[in-house]
Amino acid sequence: LYYLQDPVALVSAKNIQGVWNVRLKKPYTENLVNINKAMEESFPTDDVVFTSLKEAIDKQYSSIRRFRDIVLISSVIIFLISLMGLIGYSNDEVRRRQKEIAIRKINGAGTFDILNMLSVNIFWLAWPAVTIGILFAFLIGQKWASQFQGAQITIHIPLLILVALGVVLIILSTVILK
């Protein structure tokens, strides 16, 4: 997937060892072991081994899969750390504005009004941060996807907007629940 596919011409030659493709039925692993045993018994002096194409492809792209897993685990850890920071920030904000909240309650403000006041303040802090984060995610994702030539991956902007709205919704719901 890293290089464009060049045109290929297959020409038969007498002295070249061939590669044989065999399509197996289920159960694949068991049948692969059986065919390798049969080839070993039939041709004990030759080294005839059948391998799984899926395993070869998986092995070839294992570094990409490992990178994906590391990014996913790191993202979850960063999200949890950010959530802990948000809870701490919410506690400090409520503690700092405790007198203002008390005065508003005395003057007739309801719970919805207090939650709205706190949520709006945090929303205006969170929205630019989420927007910048989504922008960087788009740019880095495009750069990472550009290394694959054969199957170009497109990063859909509506999906990124949906993720941004989801993150803002999680932030606001955390503040409201706290």
Side-chain angles (χ1 to χ4, degrees), residues 109-127:
T111 306
F112 177 77
D113 297 325
I114 302 297
L115 291 176
N116 188 33
M117 174 190 67
L118 294 172
S119 297
V120 167
N121 288 340
I122 289 181
F123 173 79
W124 288 114
L125 284 172
W127 186 249

Side-chain angles (χ1 to χ4, degrees), residues 16-92:
I16 296 178
Q17 289 182 337
V19 174
W20 293 30
N21 294 319
V22 178
R23 182 175 290 187
L24 299 175
K25 293 183 179 181
K26 291 182 182 179
Y28 301 115
T29 308
E30 185 179 318
N31 286 337
L32 184 63
V33 169
N34 290 339
I35 198 170
N36 279 326
K37 282 183 186 176
M39 293 307 286
E40 188 178 330
E41 291 171 3
S42 300
F43 304 101
T45 59
D46 294 334
D47 187 24
V48 180
V49 177
F50 288 93
T51 58
S52 170
L53 180 62
K54 183 181 181 326
E55 289 177 10
I57 291 172
D58 288 347
K59 185 177 178 184
Q60 184 179 5
Y61 295 115
S62 65
S63 63
I64 294 170
R65 191 170 292 106
R66 199 171 326 125
F67 177 74
R68 180 203 62 191
D69 294 343
I70 289 170
V71 167
L72 181 65
I73 291 169
S74 300
S75 299
V76 169
I77 290 171
I78 289 170
F79 180 74
L80 292 175
I81 291 171
S82 299
L83 203 58
M84 288 188 299
L86 177 64
I87 291 170
Y89 177 78
S90 298
N91 285 341
D92 289 344

Side-chain angles (χ1 to χ4, degrees), residues 103-162:
I103 291 171
R104 286 180 184 260
K105 280 224 171 217
I106 290 171
N107 288 331
T111 306
F112 177 77
D113 297 325
I114 302 297
L115 291 176
N116 188 33
M117 174 190 67
L118 294 172
S119 297
V120 167
N121 288 340
I122 289 181
F123 173 79
W124 288 114
L125 284 172
W127 186 249
V130 170
T131 304
I132 290 170
I134 291 295
L135 179 65
F136 277 120
F138 176 75
L139 295 174
I140 292 170
Q142 286 288 89
K143 181 72 174 168
W144 184 72
S146 70
Q147 70 179 329
F148 303 108
Q149 294 296 326
Q152 268 304 333
I153 301 169
T154 57
I155 299 173
H156 301 288
I157 293 179
L159 182 63
L160 288 174
I161 292 171
L162 190 65

